[in-house]
Amino acid sequence: AQTVTQSQPEMSVQEAETVTLSCTYDTSESNYYLFWYKQPPSRQMILVIRQEAYKQQNATENRFSVNFQKAAKSFSLKISDSQLGDTAMYFCAFMFLGSGTYKYIFGTGTRLKVLA
Amino acid sequence: EPEVTQTPSHQVTQMGQEVILRCVPISNHLYFYWYRQILGQKVEFLVSFYNNEISEKSEIFDDQFSVERPDGSNFTLKIRSTKLEDSAMYFCASSELGTYGYTFGSGTRLTVV
């Protein structure tokens, strides 16, 4: 069975600083994808960044980057130059081809608060 | 940018009542999904739907739940007899080719009282 673990329930960071959110996963699948989603108080699910497991190069989207360590099954998110609008719940997610369809397995989330 | 639209944004219902949550997926998408998030917990897969039938469903998706695509644009989730524990945020999503290119809707908050 696939599992996703986020060991940091809550984190805080000063505005303009850098913060790293941790995520580990467990799977026997060889073909899968990894994601970070942001959920602000509105509870909408907003895609932050995604990584294909077959790609060695770490994904980057503006201030967001990941450190993907496939052998260690680790997928951390780094947020540089943190902004107040980054305050939200962040979910790490694993996607694989289940019984005919791609589906997500989400972690329990990390609540990030950016302090002014 | 195309969106997945969910209505209503918030619904309150009496325990034991039937409720239908509605979603309009992106028009050229072929795969549709429902996920659920109980307050303070993680998002969980409920069901996937393709070619007018269920492709996969989770253990949560029991006989109280059903999905339907009644016309060419809507995708609905029905809960026949709601329980207090059905209170959650329900997210609809769609993808074009069943790959990892999901688009989530903004969710329906269901409160069962």
Side-chain angles (χ1 to χ4, degrees):
Chain A
Q2 282 62 230
T3 59
V4 176
T5 301
Q6 293 179 252
S7 58
Q8 305 152 313
E10 291 186 3
M11 294 189 73
S12 61
V13 62
Q14 288 293 134
E15 196 175 7
E17 297 291 306
T18 295
V19 64
T20 298
L21 280 55
S22 301
C23 174
T24 58
Y25 60 95
D26 191 23
T27 184
S28 57
E29 301 283 335
S30 57
N31 188 24
Y32 55 89
Y33 309 88
L34 296 161
F35 302 79
W36 279 96
Y37 275 88
K38 171 184 177 181
Q39 188 179 47
S42 67
R43 298 186 73 183
Q44 186 170 359
M45 295 294 283
I46 301 168
L47 177 64
V48 175
I49 199 166
R50 65 182 170 206
Q51 173 84 41
E52 292 88 348
Y54 61 84
K55 289 187 178 177
Q56 292 187 330
Q57 186 171 4
N58 290 325
T60 299
E61 282 289 337
N62 301 314
R63 299 183 294 107
F64 299 89
S65 61
V66 297
N67 183 5
F68 175 45
Q69 302 288 328
K70 191 172 183 179
K73 295 180 180 171
S74 169
F75 183 62
S76 60
L77 174 69
K78 184 170 83 172
I79 306 174
S80 304
D81 185 26
S82 298
Q83 300 175 359
L84 296 177
D86 295 334
T87 293
M89 194 76 164
Y90 286 81
F91 290 98
C92 178
F94 170 95
M95 176 177 269
F96 68 106
L97 184 61
S99 303
T101 56
Y102 283 93
K103 65 180 184 183
Y104 285 104
I105 304 295
F106 285 90
T108 51
T110 295
R111 187 175 303 278
L112 176 68
K113 188 169 185 178
V114 180
L115 307 170
Chain B
E1 189 167 332
E3 290 184 345
V4 174
T5 305
Q6 289 188 243
T7 55
S9 57
H10 190 193
Q11 180 155 358
V12 181
T13 188
Q14 295 276 344
M15 189 169 56
Q17 293 295 305
E18 175 183 285
V19 66
I20 297 176
L21 309 183
R22 303 182 191 279
C23 170
V24 179
I26 293 172
S27 61
N28 64 335
H29 284 188
L30 302 176
Y31 291 79
F32 315 115
Y33 312 85
W34 284 101
Y35 283 76
R36 180 181 82 175
Q37 184 186 29
I38 295 172
L39 185 64
Q41 298 187 23
K42 62 183 176 182
V43 179
E44 297 176 291
F45 171 79
L46 287 179
V47 66
S48 59
F49 189 87
Y50 169 72
N51 200 25
N52 282 321
E53 61 182 23
I54 291 173
S55 302
E56 186 177 356
K57 59 184 180 179
S58 72
E59 295 173 351
I60 304 168
F61 195 88
D62 61 22
D63 292 343
Q64 292 294 319
F65 292 91
S66 63
V67 290
E68 193 178 37
R69 189 155 162 81
D71 52 44
S73 60
N74 289 283
F75 178 52
T76 61
L77 174 69
K78 183 194 291 186
I79 308 174
R80 287 189 184 80
S81 179
T82 49
K83 308 183 190 102
L84 294 176
E85 54 264 38
D86 293 327
S87 294
M89 195 78 163
Y90 289 81
F91 291 100
C92 175
S94 68
S95 68
E96 187 175 0
L97 295 172
T99 63
Y100 60 91
Y102 270 46
T103 301
F104 280 95
S106 55
T108 293
R109 181 177 300 192
L110 176 66
T111 302
V112 182
V113 298

